């Protein structure tokens, strides 16, 4: 099939930064793209051929958007899956498939999927409502501490809370949820697996993620992870087994815990480009975004190894600032060798909102990590 400079139409559900970075590559290849998003301010708006306004959870909006497209993908999980199923029946190729998304959308069904497929994950209990947890604690069916996770609609650390006492349950929404055993881990790792429609599979090097203690968001992504080879091999193996179980097409980011005794447990997965792969734009032979396009169009997959060590720093809105965004000291960080900022195009900042990222590349990973800290402490995302 001819995708380039042709009548072929690719659709992306979601117009955020991940979509925008996918569009870097559809632009490079001259592939026609349509984007659906509920905000007129969506970062994708300026970079696609056809931008449509609509609610991603609305059946008609998704169905009508997709029905005249050849291939449909998504950059966010909160999408109407029934509409995707109907589009698949009508012959539109949806990658990753609606079946994959349906399993992943709900944290409880996602966890059950790991258990059913003999994939390592932390023990958990499923609850129809948060209010049932108190009873389980009183009757010994559950013990503190644990991690509370909303089954649906959580993202970037929202919908997740570490519960150390009964008081911590106060104020949590009364929704379907899981209580997961708190894993004392050494490291949070991630592996991105790419799989094409005809089954070609490649993995990116294991990355380690350092988290912000309060926002529960990734602060630094370090690639390759500073872990022993046997642990990296184990993490890669778990990611490949997970990919095989889902039989997905496109990218699958597998987030994992490395336990104190070097076991690997799956935390959760994302069937799309992922925060743990942003450094691939500068550090890898093929960026995760280009690889996703290659995979869903069944083109040969690109090289996934690193050209150079990379560290990624998330740029999030500073606490206490809301309104028109200002990137303070951005010129100072651009003076540093190997530093590339990516600004997502969100005009309004608010505390902890993802506004951009910065990649730092260096042959010496420790030096890259040192510069990353410098970047983190220099640039400030504030408002006018």
């Amino acid at each position: 099939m001819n995708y380039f400079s042709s009548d072929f139409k690719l659709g992306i559900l979601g117009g955020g930064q991940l979509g925008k970075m996918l569009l870097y590559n559809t632009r490079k290849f001259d592939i026609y793209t349509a984007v659906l998003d509920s905000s007129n301010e969506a970062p994708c708006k300026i970079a696609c051929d056809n931008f449509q306004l609509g609610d991603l959870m609305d059946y008609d909006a998704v169905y009508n958007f997709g029905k005249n497209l050849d291939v449909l993908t998504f950059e966010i999980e909160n999408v109407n899956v029934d509409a995707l199923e109907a589009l698949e029946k009508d012959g539109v190729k949806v990658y990753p498939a609606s079946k994959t998304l349906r399993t992943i959308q709900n944290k409880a069904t996602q966890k059950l999927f790991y258990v059913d497929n003999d994939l390592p994950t932390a023990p958990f209990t499923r609850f129809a409502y948060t209010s049932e947890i108190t009873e389980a604690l009183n009757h010994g069916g559950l013990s503190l501490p644990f991690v509370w996770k909303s089954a649906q609609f959580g993202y970037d650390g929202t919908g997740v809370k570490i519960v150390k006492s009964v008081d911590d349950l106060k104020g949590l929404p009364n929704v379907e949820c899981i209580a997961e055993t708190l894993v004392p881990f050494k490291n949070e790792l991630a592996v991105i697996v790419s799989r094409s429609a005809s089954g070609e599979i490649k993995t990116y090097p294991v990355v380690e993620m350092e988290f912000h203690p309060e926002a529960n968001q990734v602060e630094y992504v370090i690639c390759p992870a500073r872990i022993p080879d046997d642990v990296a091999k184990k993490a890669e193996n778990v990611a490949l087994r997970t990919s095989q179980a889902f039989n997905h097409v496109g990218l699958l980011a597998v987030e994992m815990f490395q336990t104190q005794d070097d076991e690997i447990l799956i935390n959760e997965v994302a069937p799309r480009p992922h925060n743990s792969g942003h450094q691939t734009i500068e550090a890898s032979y093929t960026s995760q975004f280009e690889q996703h396009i290659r995979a869903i169009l069944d083109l040969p997959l690109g090289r996934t190894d690193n050209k150079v060590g990379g560290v990624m720093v998330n740029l999030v809105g500073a606490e206490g600032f809301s309104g028109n965004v200002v990137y303070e000291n951005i010129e100072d960080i651009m003076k540093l060798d190997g530093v590339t900022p990516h600004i997502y195009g969100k005009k309004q900042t608010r505390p902890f909102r993802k506004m951009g990222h910065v990649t730092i590349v260096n042959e010496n990973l420790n030096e890259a990590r040192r510069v990353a800290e410098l970047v983190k402490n220099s640039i400030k995302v504030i408002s006018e």
Side-chain angles (χ1 to χ4, degrees):
M1 184 155 188
N2 182 20
Y3 302 111
F4 314 103
S5 304
S6 73
D7 294 337
F8 171 82
K9 290 183 171 66
L10 171 67
I12 302 171
L13 292 162
Q17 64 265 19
L18 299 175
K20 187 185 177 195
M21 289 184 273
L22 282 171
L23 294 170
Y24 292 2
N25 296 284
T26 56
R27 282 280 180 219
K28 181 167 74 178
F29 294 143
D30 196 35
I31 295 168
Y32 178 98
T33 48
V35 171
L36 180 72
D37 194 88
S38 59
S39 166
N40 233 338
E41 304 283 300
C44 276
K45 192 176 179 183
I46 58 158
C48 61
D49 297 284
N50 174 5
F51 181 80
Q52 293 180 33
L53 216 49
D55 179 356
L56 298 174
M57 291 304 287
D58 181 77
Y59 179 95
D60 291 336
V62 173
Y63 182 81
N64 292 329
F65 170 73
K67 67 183 179 186
N68 299 317
L69 301 170
D70 299 294
V71 173
L72 195 55
T73 191
F74 44 86
E75 57 110 61
I76 186 168
E77 283 90 321
N78 295 335
V79 171
N80 189 300
V81 183
D82 294 336
L84 295 183
E85 270 183 0
L87 288 164
E88 283 170 335
K89 287 196 180 88
D90 291 350
V92 177
K93 288 176 175 165
V94 178
Y95 295 133
S98 62
K99 185 178 169 221
T100 303
L101 186 58
R102 196 181 283 285
T103 304
I104 289 171
Q105 255 184 359
N106 183 300
K107 293 255 170 56
T109 54
Q110 189 183 137
K111 290 282 283 188
L112 288 166
F113 180 86
Y114 304 143
V115 174
D116 292 345
N117 287 277
D118 208 17
L119 295 163
T121 193
F124 69 102
T125 311
R126 184 180 187 175
F127 294 97
Y129 298 99
T130 307
S131 55
E132 294 173 2
I133 292 178
T134 317
E135 203 176 314
L137 284 168
N138 293 340
H139 292 95
L142 187 66
S143 55
L144 295 159
F146 60 84
V147 183
W148 173 91
K149 289 182 180 178
S150 153
Q152 284 178 291
F153 310 124
Y155 69 96
D156 283 351
T158 63
V160 177
K161 183 164 184 178
I162 294 174
V163 177
K164 292 176 179 165
S165 71
V166 180
D167 282 355
D168 290 338
L169 291 167
K170 286 178 185 153
L172 289 178
N174 195 23
V175 291
E176 186 192 355
C177 59
I178 60 170
E180 190 175 81
T181 302
L182 185 63
V183 177
F185 56 84
K186 267 189 216 178
N187 260 320
E188 290 210 39
L189 308 173
V191 174
I192 292 174
V193 184
S194 51
R195 183 176 181 277
S196 73
S198 56
E200 186 188 0
I201 294 176
K202 292 199 175 180
T203 58
Y204 280 89
V206 185
V207 302
E208 66 178 282
M209 299 181 284
E210 290 186 27
F211 278 75
H212 184 285
E214 282 135 58
N216 197 25
Q217 279 182 339
V218 177
E219 236 178 343
Y220 302 106
V221 171
I222 299 163
C223 185
R226 298 164 297 181
I227 54 175
D229 287 349
D230 59 324
V231 177
K233 202 86 207 119
K234 213 184 275 189
E236 198 175 300
N237 185 31
V238 168
L240 282 166
R241 281 173 48 210
T242 309
S243 161
Q244 198 175 358
F246 278 111
N247 214 14
H248 69 103
V249 172
L251 296 185
L252 187 73
V254 185
E255 294 183 60
M256 298 171 268
F257 298 124
Q258 174 191 356
T259 66
Q260 297 299 341
D261 53 2
D262 289 341
E263 286 310 304
I264 297 290
L265 298 175
I266 300 164
N267 177 19
E268 55 188 51
V269 299
R272 53 168 170 78
H274 190 254
N275 197 243
S276 65
H278 289 349
Q279 74 292 337
T280 59
I281 298 173
E282 278 79 27
S284 306
Y285 283 97
T286 312
S287 81
Q288 65 162 341
F289 300 97
E290 179 179 326
Q291 194 79 309
H292 185 71
I293 299 292
R294 285 176 177 240
I296 63 175
L297 301 185
D298 208 15
L299 295 163
L301 297 180
R303 267 180 80 167
T304 51
D305 49 330
N306 282 9
K307 291 191 268 194
V308 64
V311 177
M312 190 276 299
V313 178
N314 275 325
L315 292 182
V316 300
E319 283 185 89
F321 292 93
S322 291
N324 295 337
V325 67
V326 175
Y327 295 90
E328 200 175 61
N329 304 328
I330 194 164
E331 293 87 348
D332 296 343
I333 69 161
M334 288 174 84
K335 286 177 194 160
L336 303 167
D337 281 347
V339 170
T340 308
H342 291 256
I343 304 299
Y344 295 156
K346 299 172 184 178
K347 305 286 186 272
Q348 299 290 308
T349 184
R350 54 178 184 267
F352 299 121
R353 187 184 193 195
K354 280 188 187 168
M355 301 298 288
H357 74 264
V358 181
T359 310
I360 300 92
V361 293
N362 198 295
E363 280 78 9
N364 181 329
L365 197 58
N366 291 329
E367 177 59 13
R369 175 64 181 76
R370 186 190 71 78
V371 175
E373 193 127 345
L374 207 58
V375 166
K376 183 87 190 165
N377 294 333
S378 304
I379 192 164
K380 294 282 176 278
V381 184
I382 58 172
S383 55
E384 287 175 350

